[in-house]
Amino acid sequence: MGMFKRFISGFWTVGEMMTAGVKAEAKWEYEMGKVILGRRKKMLFLALLPVILGVGVELAMAGTLPDTIGGSKAYMPTFVTSQMFIGSIFVGLMAGLITGCIGAGGGYVLTPALMSIGVRGIMSVGTDQFHLFAKAIMGTVIHKKLGNVNLWMAVWFVVGSLTGVTVGATLNRAVYAKSPALSDAFISLVYVVILGILGAYSLYDWIRLSRTKSVQSTKEATTAFAKWLQGIPLKPRVTFDQDIVAGGRSISIYPLIIVGFIVGMVASVMGVGGGFLTFPIFVYGLGVSTFTTVGTDILQIIFTTGYSSVAQYAIYGYVFYSICMGMLLGSLVGVQLGALVTKYVKGSQIRAFYALTILAGFVNRICALPGTLTNAGYLKVNTATGNIINQVGNVVFFVLVAIFSVWILIAFFQNAGKARAAEMSSPVSVER
């Protein structure tokens, strides 16, 4: 019984810190989008330049690429239909609305959504990574907003993450080469595990907070394991949190490299930034403050996604640039609208929808598994049955996420109109 309680306690702790990670990345995406949209047109063009160049490559090389890396006969061709491009804008808008309104990264819906509209898993991952990188190149513009960045901690983390990205992306490509259907199943299974943990915790968090009517912030924690890890006398070492602890703390570079490797490998397999892993490992595993973790994680995203998207996916033909542009345009607008809605909507409602959208992604990917595993030869399910199960997952996913998106937009337009009317009728406004 005691072991079961410790397991449950540890599970909720991991879920709490993973949620803190996606919230930190959401804040970064909001600031990034705000800067891009607020700058002059040439800055917006700079952010879109890699995607625009990629679209040009698509048009120039359509039909000439080898079949194995996206030619016209490939499993997922590198040209896009108008319906698919419009769909990508909608997908980006959904993710942006979730990110801005919930304050937690909406990237967890991108790969499942793209796979549901027909984009193969490996190209969904590569496209998501490139989409993140297109945003991240504006990181230098908002450098001062990243928080307490520990440069050397980020450097050694990136050394590990780049290695992990290489391993993860190589694994993705190898599985795809063996069987495209198995590749979809493999990526879906990873999402099932991660979204299962996040979804279970977010649902528990919503129920707990709706009962207590109080908001508890994530606490700082220096665990016994973190203290032991910091005490290992291996050199060279990195000092951190000097502003929080007198003299700061220090740790050998080797745990940082190992953590970077794990985060990079998982991020390159899923097509995400990896903050949901960086947070629990940094805070509970390494004993780093959340303030330092935020800045370090966001800085590493720029290098990790850049290397992953370009060197591990784009050069092999696994980036759908047209789709990426649609996602980027949709998410930049969506995240700003979503952030404005938080002024008018109750926090309990936002948490409820957050839990539902994560669980919708979980249901979507677990319903895709029977069909993909059958196609790969690892399971025997009637084709018609597999298709029905897959369609159920798609319907559940898109209906819930669409309802959430429409709800956000209605709340925005209704309350924005009321706010403008109140401002116009106020004495202060008349005097001005």
Side-chain angles (χ1 to χ4, degrees):
M1 190 67 178
M3 183 179 295
F4 178 75
K5 288 183 178 180
R6 286 195 296 271
F7 171 78
I8 294 298
S9 175
F11 178 82
W12 295 133
T13 297
V14 171
E16 181 182 17
M17 295 311 301
M18 288 173 70
T19 302
V22 293
K23 287 182 178 180
E25 287 192 12
K27 184 177 180 181
W28 167 70
E29 285 197 45
Y30 169 72
E31 294 290 348
M32 195 82 68
K34 188 176 180 180
V35 169
I36 293 174
L37 293 175
R39 294 279 172 169
R40 290 177 291 182
K41 293 181 180 179
K42 65 179 183 180
M43 297 303 294
L44 180 59
F45 178 78
L46 176 63
L48 294 175
L49 183 59
V51 186
I52 293 173
L53 292 175
V55 173
V57 171
E58 281 185 15
L59 295 175
M61 302 187 69
T64 63
L65 289 173
D67 292 344
T68 55
I69 62 170
S72 59
K73 297 180 181 178
Y75 194 54
M76 184 68 238
T78 58
F79 58 85
V80 63
T81 64
S82 58
Q83 293 88 347
M84 192 171 287
F85 180 70
I86 293 172
S88 69
I89 296 177
F90 175 67
V91 168
L93 181 64
M94 286 193 309
L97 288 171
I98 293 171
T99 299
C101 183
I102 296 174
Y108 59 84
V109 304
L110 289 176
T111 293
L114 290 180
M115 293 177 71
S116 296
I117 63 174
V119 182
R120 295 304 97 189
I122 191 168
M123 292 199 74
S124 298
V125 169
T127 303
D128 287 351
Q129 289 278 276
F130 201 85
H131 157 255
L132 279 172
F133 176 56
K135 288 182 180 179
I137 60 173
M138 295 299 292
T140 52
V141 178
I142 61 167
H143 167 71
K144 295 181 180 179
K145 298 181 181 180
L146 292 180
N148 186 28
V149 179
N150 187 300
L151 181 59
W152 282 109
M153 181 171 283
V155 166
W156 292 113
F157 184 97
V158 167
V159 168
S161 71
L162 296 187
T163 307
V165 162
T166 303
V167 173
T170 301
L171 176 63
N172 251 359
R173 296 196 307 272
V175 174
Y176 178 83
K178 180 178 181 180
S179 168
L182 181 61
S183 173
D184 283 1
F186 171 63
I187 294 170
S188 294
L189 185 60
V190 173
Y191 266 91
V192 165
V193 174
I194 298 299
L195 293 184
I197 296 174
L198 278 174
Y201 173 77
S202 60
L203 188 61
Y204 157 79
D205 187 49
W206 169 62
I207 295 173
R208 176 176 60 86
L209 292 178
S210 63
R211 289 176 177 175
T212 61
K213 305 298 181 182
S214 62
V215 178
Q216 299 178 8
S217 59
T218 301
K219 57 184 180 297
E220 299 289 345
T222 301
T223 62
F225 177 77
K227 292 178 179 178
W228 172 80
L229 207 56
Q230 292 172 16
I232 297 176
L234 292 176
K235 296 182 179 181
R237 303 181 67 82
V238 174
T239 303
F240 59 94
D241 285 346
Q242 293 93 329
D243 298 334
I244 297 176
V245 178
R249 301 183 176 110
S250 70
I251 194 169
S252 170
I253 66 169
Y254 303 108
L256 290 172
I257 294 174
I258 294 172
V259 170
F261 177 85
I262 295 171
V263 172
M265 184 171 66
V266 174
S268 65
V269 169
M270 296 181 66
V272 295
F276 64 89
L277 283 180
T278 305
F279 255 71
I281 296 177
F282 260 50
V283 175
Y284 282 90
L286 305 183
V288 183
S289 68
T290 56
F291 187 51
T292 301
T293 299
V294 170
T296 305
D297 176 52
I298 291 173
L299 184 62
Q300 68 84 16
I301 288 176
I302 297 172
F303 296 97
T304 302
T305 59
Y307 171 72
S308 175
S309 62
V310 175
Q312 296 299 319
Y313 286 105
I315 64 173
Y316 293 97
Y318 296 129
V319 172
F320 219 150
Y321 299 101
S322 304
I323 294 292
C324 182
M325 174 175 279
M327 288 166 51
L328 183 57
L329 292 173
S331 65
L332 287 175
V333 175
V335 72
Q336 303 303 315
L337 291 178
L340 292 174
V341 170
T342 58
K343 300 177 182 179
Y344 315 119
V345 180
K346 293 181 180 179
S348 59
Q349 292 177 314
I350 292 175
R351 285 186 178 85
F353 272 109
Y354 174 54
L356 287 177
T357 53
I358 291 180
L359 291 175
F362 169 80
V363 171
N364 175 268
R365 286 301 88 205
I366 202 169
C367 286
L369 282 175
T372 53
L373 287 173
T374 297
N375 292 336
Y378 290 90
L379 193 67
K380 289 185 178 181
V381 175
N382 181 272
T383 302
T385 303
N387 290 336
I388 292 173
I389 295 173
N390 185 51
Q391 287 303 317
V392 168
N394 288 341
V395 170
V396 169
F397 176 76
F398 280 109
V399 166
L400 285 178
V401 176
I403 289 174
F404 178 53
S405 301
V406 171
W407 173 70
I408 292 176
L409 292 174
I410 291 175
F412 170 74
F413 287 113
Q414 285 182 340
N415 291 285
K418 293 177 181 178
R420 283 196 300 269
E423 184 178 348
M424 293 295 292
S425 62
S426 65
V428 176
S429 299
V430 173
E431 290 178 6
R432 287 179 181 174

